[in-house]
Amino acid sequence: MGAKVIGIDISLAMTEAAKEHLPKIEFRVGDATSLDFQDSSFDLVVFSFNGLDYPHPVTMRNQAIDEIARVLRQGGKLIFSTHNSLALLFGWYKSLRPSKLMHRLKHIINGDIFLKETYIRSPSSGNTLTYYSRPSKSISTLRAHGF
């Protein structure tokens, strides 16, 4: 449809799998905190699967946001998803498995859901820390970085 698409992932295995399934699209191994593109290179950046929630500590997450802002053209768009800390409280119906319910209860009891932003260890992926914030915090962070 006329768009030039470049896919980036920090994992070589993921980029190789993507190339296998979509051979007409360019895929590169890369780190969102240090993008190998000139300023104002893109009209659109899509950061999928809550990927922006995994750079740790928050300074690295902010560095990724700065890099995205740098490579976007003026008026460009960022599409992303993120973890909402309030979902730990209101998403109870997704926690019917005992391990997920206990994970949510732990972070409700220790007060994580009341923080504007925090990192929480994922119960299913070992030591992976995941960024959670309130929507208002996500909006203020993006505005502080030029969005």
Side-chain angles (χ1 to χ4, degrees):
M1 298 180 78
K4 181 179 180 184
V5 177
I6 301 173
I8 301 168
D9 197 284
I10 200 162
S11 165
L12 176 61
M14 290 298 283
T15 56
E16 288 177 347
K19 286 177 188 178
E20 191 174 302
H21 291 289
L22 300 163
K24 294 182 180 181
I25 294 178
E26 178 183 350
F27 289 95
R28 300 180 185 183
V29 175
D31 184 337
T33 63
S34 179
L35 296 170
D36 189 21
F37 298 100
Q38 294 180 358
D39 295 358
S40 304
S41 296
F42 298 97
D43 295 312
L44 173 68
V45 171
V46 178
F47 211 133
S48 60
F49 300 108
N50 298 327
L52 194 52
D53 292 345
Y54 295 100
H56 179 266
V58 74
T59 54
M60 295 296 285
R61 183 177 190 276
N62 289 337
Q63 189 173 335
I65 294 169
D66 284 338
E67 279 293 280
I68 293 166
R70 180 185 66 77
V71 301
L72 274 173
R73 291 187 177 107
Q74 181 142 7
K77 305 291 183 204
L78 167 62
I79 298 173
F80 72 104
S81 56
T82 189
H83 289 87
N84 181 343
S85 56
L86 293 177
L88 292 168
L89 179 61
F90 295 112
W92 63 268
Y93 57 90
K94 297 179 181 178
S95 302
L96 298 180
R97 291 193 329 224
S99 64
K100 284 195 169 195
L101 181 58
M102 292 308 296
H103 172 73
R104 285 176 184 265
L105 285 174
K106 172 185 167 186
H107 294 290
I108 291 168
I109 290 168
N110 74 13
D112 288 335
I113 66 161
F114 303 107
L115 300 173
K116 288 183 181 178
E117 65 181 350
T118 188
Y119 279 91
I120 295 175
R121 288 200 189 287
S122 171
S124 59
S125 56
N127 288 328
T128 301
L129 289 169
T130 305
Y131 178 85
Y132 281 78
S133 69
R134 301 250 179 116
S136 59
K137 176 61 180 168
S138 293
I139 291 167
S140 68
T141 296
L142 290 171
R143 286 188 177 147
H145 291 269
F147 288 90

